[in-house]
């Protein structure tokens, strides 16, 4: 079964740091773009950051300079280091990835993780 499993998150005070990780597992040939999204209560899910399989990164303006996305291709894992956290960063954070799957022929599919809560207290 192909899945994205997230870890990390939790409760932190404003100005603090947290790290998230997300590992892809299953019958996967390769992993293309990976990313993090978040959804705060009553709001739509929004992009936080993405990273291509070559390491090209993209960040939402709201997190530039504070968050860092990285990946380990051998481990099929993406990370998000969050520094200088603000109360407005409070949300459920979701991992997302484009995966090339094994099978009769390679198939590209997009997957979401289950989400992990990040709460920043003021």
């Amino acid at each position: 079964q192909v899945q994205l499993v997230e870890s990390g998150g939790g409760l932190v005070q404003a100005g603090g740091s947290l790290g998230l990780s997300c590992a892809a597992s299953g019958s996967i040939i390769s992993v293309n773009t990976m990313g993090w999204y978040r959804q705060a209560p009553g709001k739509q899910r929004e992009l936080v950051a993405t990273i291509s399989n070559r390491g090209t990164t993209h960040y939402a303006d709201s997190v530039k300079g504070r968050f860092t996305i990285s990946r380990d291709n051998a481990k099929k894992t993406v990370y998000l280091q969050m520094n200088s956290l603000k109360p407005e960063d409070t949300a459920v954070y979701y991992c997302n990835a484009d995966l090339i799957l094994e099978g009769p022929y390679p198939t590209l599919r997009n997957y979401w993780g289950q989400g992990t809560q990040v709460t920043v207290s003021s």
Side-chain angles (χ1 to χ4, degrees), residues 4 7 10 31 34 56 58 66 82 95 97 103 105 116 120-122:
L4 300 178
S7 60
V31 183
M34 305 184 82
T56 301
H58 172 76
R66 300 187 298 122
M82 304 179 290
C95 174
Y105 50 89
T116 185
V120 184
S121 63
S122 57

Side-chain angles (χ1 to χ4, degrees), residues 61-81:
D61 288 342
S62 59
V63 306
K64 281 181 181 177
R66 300 187 298 122
F67 290 10
T68 301
I69 189 170
S70 61
R71 63 188 287 167
D72 183 329
N73 289 333
K75 295 181 178 179
K76 299 184 181 67
T77 299
V78 63
Y79 306 95
L80 185 69
Q81 179 62 38

Side-chain angles (χ1 to χ4, degrees), residues 17-38:
S17 298
L18 279 175
L20 305 178
S21 63
C22 170
S25 63
S27 301
I28 301 167
I29 297 173
S30 63
V31 183
N32 288 355
T33 297
M34 305 184 82
W36 292 94
Y37 292 72
R38 66 187 181 186

